[in-house]
Amino acid sequence: MKKVGLKDIAEHVGVSIALVSYVLNGQAEIKQVSKDNAQKIKAAAELLNYRPNQIAKSLKMHKTHTIGLVVADINYRFSTGITRAIEAEAKKANYTVLFGSSNENEDTFAELVNVLINRQVDGLILVPVENSQDQIKMLQKAEIPFVLIDRNFPEITTNHIALDNYKAAYIATAYLIKQGHKRIAFINYDTNMFHLHERNRGYLEALKDNNIAFDEDWLQQINSNNRVGDIDQSLDKILNLDQPCDAVFFATDTLAINGLKYLNKIKAKVPQDISVLSFDESEAFELFYNLVTHLRQPVEAMGKAAVDTLLELINHSKINKQISLESDLIVGQSCRE
Amino acid sequence: MKKVGLKDIAEHVGVSIALVSYVLNGQAEIKQVSKDNAQKIKAAAELLNYRPNQIAKSLKMHKTHTIGLVVADINYRFSTGITRAIEAEAKKANYTVLFGSSNENEDTFAELVNVLINRQVDGLILVPVENSQDQIKMLQKAEIPFVLIDRNFPEITTNHIALDNYKAAYIATAYLIKQGHKRIAFINYDTNMFHLHERNRGYLEALKDNNIAFDEDWLQQINSNNRVGDIDQSLDKILNLDQPCDAVFFATDTLAINGLKYLNKIKAKVPQDISVLSFDESEAFELFYNLVTHLRQPVEAMGKAAVDTLLELINHSKINKQISLESDLIVGQSCRE
DNA sequence: TCATTTGCTTTAATCGTTTAAAGTGATAGC
DNA sequence: GCTATCACTTTAAACGATTAAAGCAAATGA
């Protein structure tokens, strides 16, 4: 059973290809196609089970009605959330999402972006990885519509949607202080990504504003290549200081999960021995014996904003939007009361 | 900066489009293009930052080098695992993956499949949803290469890759029996999907083979529309029988997670009050105070087998493969020893 | 010297659509 | 009776690539 095209329908009905195209694109009225032919064409399309070849259509129209999405790692809870939100929003506008995961790798990221461009996506939504500035600049030079989400580079002016990471970290730290903590550790990745630096800044600023003298052993920077081992060491460190920490704030859900596993292992009780607070959400937080207090990112809103912005960009070209969103502090029982 | 095509390069160098195409497709040798021109063309392509228009190429070649993937729900751990595996495997063969999530909805599933076909994917990898038999038959009639994973319909002969669900459930149940359990509940969805029925069958058969008289209150069927409430009720039921169950086996990770939340809520201790075993994997299982004993599905192998089978189908057409895989029982501390 | 071969390049059709523009026969207006 | 309009329909040129087939000098052979 070979593919049926406009030609087959045209032959079947005995009219030209153009007429078929008009009818099937809802232009029967305006092109004044006779009711009789319109009727026959529709029937034939149905009968032959015609499916328009989007590839041909895209080629002609210079529009694929597709947007490309590159997330940092499909295994992150954040990624699945944002993917879902973006898909749903895109569908409303009749766009399909072409999707890839860079696995936080610079080369994979570049390759994915390239593949998507070659497939003529109308625009891109990207969660950029560390050191991908050149790729971003390339996109700007090539005038390809794109928006960054979750992360951005302060030195490059882009359309982006991200959490106010500084504020979120500030609020979380302030919350721990309000709960009576005086020695709060912050475990973050050792990275040069701006959004994670902002979290450091929020943490530090909150300490300062509350007159807590920061001890640099409190800020632990994890090498993402040796995550598990490093987190264990970091926790050992902050728990065995002369003045041990009584709270720990994890900069991401992955850090928190690995950290909590270790705390379980060494039988440290949360929050009796140490309070725990984490960025992001995770199903695992709910199964921990005490719901882990965490900062929930508004993924739905983020996805919607990203798609909306991108579509504006695609349709009316020049706009410049930097959207900053706020997180919710979900209070569980993992912090001292 | 408008898009550069073969034409632009041709004009820049002062040769025909054909020559450019030959060179950039590595046919310089066989088409005996002069070294001089070949050199200039490559240089110009580089200089002008040429990117082949895959859409045009696909139209001409009747091949998109794209495979479509429809998962049941991007939020499932299984989905992200399988997606990653399929992407990695597809990339090796220079295929891109176009991806969608049906959210277990029949109509969304049909729509996604259609969108993918219209985009001329070379083949499909599908996790079919309940009642999607007609879609599958349609694909067969249209002779579109596809393979099913995770689930299949016994009444339709298809290429598929799936776990031996019967065996997995049997092994898990037998394990619980070996640990001394005599009253084992099984919580499954109320569904007509074959793979979940197979899990029921494995559970029942294991009881029978071990001379345990099955009590029909032990098999709880959850309506997926009211998952949370139903699970709570089911657990209440099995814990409050005249002869309460001392073990519960969840048919999926989502069921287990919700079940464990409820067990936490009513302060039932695992495994002291009740042993717990679950199908699938979840990050959350590791954060539960006792690692939840579970059946791990071989997603990597599954993804690889799916891509390999599909590519065979695409290239050499007629084959018929039903691949059955085995799960691993990961023993944690959630079952009585 | 003329025909053939060699080495390289161009021409032009094609993929399945879209859509201006042109074509056609009937009817209406003057 | 001649032109204009109307109500349709077809023609044909794109879109950006691929690739047989044809074209064209220069070199070689007889």
Side-chain angles (χ1 to χ4, degrees):
Chain A
M1 178 161 144
K2 70 164 198 307
K3 293 254 166 80
V4 295
L6 289 182
K7 193 166 76 166
D8 304 279
I9 298 178
E11 276 166 13
H12 188 268
V13 179
V15 294
S16 71
I17 291 177
L19 218 50
V20 179
S21 174
Y22 290 143
V23 171
L24 298 182
N25 284 302
Q27 302 203 254
E29 296 285 283
I30 133 168
K31 296 289 173 178
Q32 308 190 108
V33 178
S34 67
K35 306 266 180 222
D36 185 41
N37 274 333
Q39 181 50 39
K40 281 191 204 153
I41 287 168
K42 280 185 199 149
E46 182 85 359
L47 176 71
L48 301 176
N49 190 25
Y50 168 72
R51 295 149 178 281
N53 182 329
Q54 295 297 338
I55 294 283
K57 194 166 192 156
S58 296
L59 177 60
K60 182 79 225 241
M61 308 298 261
H62 300 278
K63 198 136 193 322
T64 54
H65 267 269
T66 307
I67 68 187
L69 168 64
V70 180
V71 300
D73 191 326
I74 176 73
N75 279 338
Y76 299 161
R77 173 82 186 190
F78 175 82
S79 301
T80 59
I82 204 81
T83 301
R84 231 177 191 246
I86 287 172
E87 264 204 326
E89 193 64 21
K91 191 196 253 171
K92 282 188 208 158
N94 248 298
Y95 270 72
T96 313
V97 178
L98 240 165
F99 155 100
S101 169
S102 71
N103 304 330
E104 300 281 13
N105 183 95
E106 196 180 324
D107 297 329
T108 308
F109 180 78
E111 201 186 316
L112 277 172
V113 167
N114 260 299
V115 165
L116 293 170
I117 293 175
N118 292 351
R119 290 191 182 244
Q120 315 296 122
V121 293
D122 295 338
L124 292 162
I125 296 178
L126 307 171
V127 179
V129 301
E130 202 170 0
N131 303 321
S132 56
Q133 286 92 329
D134 287 349
Q135 276 295 308
I136 304 302
K137 285 181 194 153
M138 180 278 283
L139 291 174
Q140 294 188 319
K141 244 177 66 188
E143 289 180 20
I144 292 163
F146 71 97
V147 349
L148 304 184
I149 50 173
D150 188 36
R151 311 171 179 179
N152 70 294
F153 301 104
E155 73 270 27
I156 312 180
T157 304
T158 51
N159 288 280
H160 61 256
I161 325 282
L163 199 71
D164 185 338
N165 285 287
Y166 165 78
K167 188 165 175 186
Y170 187 102
I171 288 173
T173 308
Y175 170 77
L176 287 169
I177 295 170
K178 205 187 88 213
Q179 300 303 302
H181 291 290
K182 296 248 146 52
R183 291 184 305 280
I184 303 167
F186 186 52
I187 300 191
N188 198 344
Y189 284 109
D190 182 10
T191 171
N192 56 39
M193 279 192 289
F194 178 69
H195 73 298
L196 292 181
H197 279 191
E198 284 290 282
R199 297 183 186 179
N200 281 352
R201 196 164 69 83
Y203 159 74
L204 292 171
E205 198 73 11
L207 291 184
K208 197 163 144 202
D209 286 355
N210 288 278
N211 301 311
I212 297 185
F214 168 64
D215 177 335
E216 57 178 33
D217 282 331
W218 294 355
L219 178 58
Q220 294 288 324
Q221 316 235 53
I222 305 293
N223 179 336
S224 56
N225 299 320
N226 184 28
R227 195 166 59 197
V228 179
D230 276 13
I231 293 176
D232 297 0
Q233 277 180 29
S234 292
L235 286 170
D236 276 339
K237 180 122 187 204
I238 60 164
L239 290 170
N240 294 302
L241 293 172
D242 289 344
Q243 297 259 311
C245 288
D246 52 3
V248 56
F249 176 18
F250 291 99
T252 79
D253 54 343
T254 46
L255 288 170
I257 286 167
N258 285 291
L260 288 167
K261 273 190 218 170
Y262 185 67
L263 291 176
N264 268 351
K265 190 165 152 198
I266 61 174
K267 305 211 186 305
K269 284 306 243 177
V270 174
Q272 293 82 345
D273 299 330
I274 187 161
S275 285
V276 170
L277 195 157
S278 175
F279 241 93
D280 303 322
E281 256 188 314
S282 168
E283 211 154 42
F285 290 167
E286 298 189 58
L287 263 205
F288 193 69
Y289 49 88
N290 282 322
L291 170 63
V292 179
T293 297
H294 60 275
L295 290 162
R296 173 165 56 200
Q297 299 209 37
V299 282
E300 305 286 323
M302 237 159 141
K304 184 168 165 29
V307 172
D308 291 351
T309 306
L310 184 61
L311 292 183
E312 277 186 66
L313 222 44
I314 290 172
N315 295 323
H316 325 297
S317 89
K318 304 283 175 219
I319 54 161
N320 218 287
K321 277 198 187 169
Q322 284 78 38
I323 300 178
S324 181
L325 301 171
E326 313 249 316
S327 60
D328 287 324
L329 181 68
I330 307 296
V331 176
Q333 302 90 41
S334 69
C335 298
R336 180 204 292 171
E337 312 224 339
Chain B
M1 180 159 143
K2 70 169 198 305
K3 292 255 167 78
V4 295
L6 289 184
K7 194 166 76 167
D8 303 279
I9 299 178
E11 277 167 11
H12 188 267
V13 179
V15 293
S16 71
I17 292 177
L19 218 51
V20 178
S21 173
Y22 290 143
V23 172
L24 298 182
N25 283 303
Q27 300 203 254
E29 296 285 283
I30 136 168
K31 296 289 174 178
Q32 310 188 108
V33 178
S34 67
K35 306 266 180 220
D36 184 43
N37 274 334
Q39 179 52 38
K40 281 192 205 151
I41 288 168
K42 279 183 201 151
E46 181 86 359
L47 175 72
L48 302 177
N49 190 26
Y50 169 71
R51 296 152 179 280
N53 182 328
Q54 295 296 339
I55 295 283
K57 192 167 194 159
S58 296
L59 177 60
K60 181 78 225 252
M61 308 298 262
H62 300 280
K63 198 138 197 317
T64 54
H65 267 268
T66 307
I67 70 188
L69 167 64
V70 180
V71 299
D73 191 326
I74 177 70
N75 280 340
Y76 297 162
R77 173 82 183 190
F78 175 83
S79 300
T80 60
I82 204 78
T83 301
R84 231 179 192 241
I86 287 172
E87 264 205 327
E89 193 63 21
K91 192 196 254 173
K92 283 189 208 159
N94 248 298
Y95 270 73
T96 314
V97 177
L98 239 166
F99 157 100
S101 170
S102 71
N103 304 331
E104 299 282 13
N105 183 95
E106 198 180 325
D107 297 329
T108 308
F109 180 78
E111 201 187 315
L112 277 172
V113 167
N114 260 300
V115 165
L116 292 170
I117 293 174
N118 291 352
R119 288 189 184 244
Q120 314 296 121
V121 293
D122 294 338
L124 293 163
I125 297 178
L126 307 171
V127 178
V129 302
E130 203 169 358
N131 304 322
S132 56
Q133 285 93 328
D134 287 348
Q135 275 295 308
I136 304 301
K137 285 183 193 152
M138 180 277 283
L139 291 175
Q140 294 188 320
K141 244 177 65 188
E143 290 179 19
I144 291 163
F146 72 97
V147 348
L148 304 184
I149 50 174
D150 187 38
R151 312 171 177 178
N152 69 295
F153 301 103
E155 72 269 28
I156 312 180
T157 305
T158 51
N159 289 280
H160 61 255
I161 326 280
L163 200 70
D164 185 337
N165 286 286
Y166 165 77
K167 189 165 175 185
Y170 186 101
I171 287 174
T173 310
Y175 169 78
L176 287 169
I177 296 170
K178 206 187 87 212
Q179 301 302 304
H181 291 289
K182 295 246 146 50
R183 292 183 304 280
I184 303 168
F186 186 51
I187 300 191
N188 199 345
Y189 284 109
D190 183 12
T191 170
N192 55 37
M193 281 192 286
F194 178 67
H195 74 296
L196 293 181
H197 279 189
E198 283 292 280
R199 297 182 186 179
N200 281 352
R201 197 165 68 83
Y203 158 77
L204 293 171
E205 199 73 11
L207 291 183
K208 196 163 143 202
D209 286 355
N210 288 277
N211 301 311
I212 297 183
F214 168 65
D215 178 336
E216 55 179 34
D217 283 330
W218 296 353
L219 179 57
Q220 293 289 324
Q221 316 234 54
I222 305 294
N223 180 336
S224 56
N225 299 321
N226 182 27
R227 196 164 60 196
V228 177
D230 277 12
I231 293 175
D232 297 359
Q233 277 180 28
S234 292
L235 285 170
D236 275 340
K237 180 123 188 204
I238 62 164
L239 289 170
N240 295 304
L241 293 173
D242 290 342
Q243 299 257 308
C245 288
D246 52 4
V248 56
F249 177 17
F250 291 98
T252 78
D253 54 343
T254 44
L255 289 171
I257 286 167
N258 285 292
L260 288 168
K261 272 191 219 168
Y262 186 67
L263 291 177
N264 268 349
K265 189 166 154 198
I266 63 174
K267 304 213 185 305
K269 283 306 242 175
V270 175
Q272 292 84 343
D273 299 329
I274 187 162
S275 285
V276 170
L277 196 155
S278 174
F279 242 92
D280 303 323
E281 259 189 312
S282 168
E283 211 155 41
F285 289 167
E286 298 189 58
L287 264 206
F288 194 68
Y289 50 88
N290 282 322
L291 170 64
V292 179
T293 298
H294 61 274
L295 291 161
R296 171 165 58 201
Q297 299 211 36
V299 282
E300 305 286 322
M302 237 159 142
K304 182 168 163 32
V307 173
D308 291 351
T309 306
L310 184 61
L311 291 184
E312 276 187 69
L313 223 44
I314 290 172
N315 296 321
H316 326 297
S317 89
K318 302 284 178 218
I319 53 163
N320 220 284
K321 278 196 186 171
Q322 284 77 39
I323 299 178
S324 181
L325 300 171
E326 313 249 315
S327 60
D328 288 324
L329 182 68
I330 307 297
V331 176
Q333 300 91 43
S334 69
C335 298
R336 179 206 293 173
E337 313 227 339

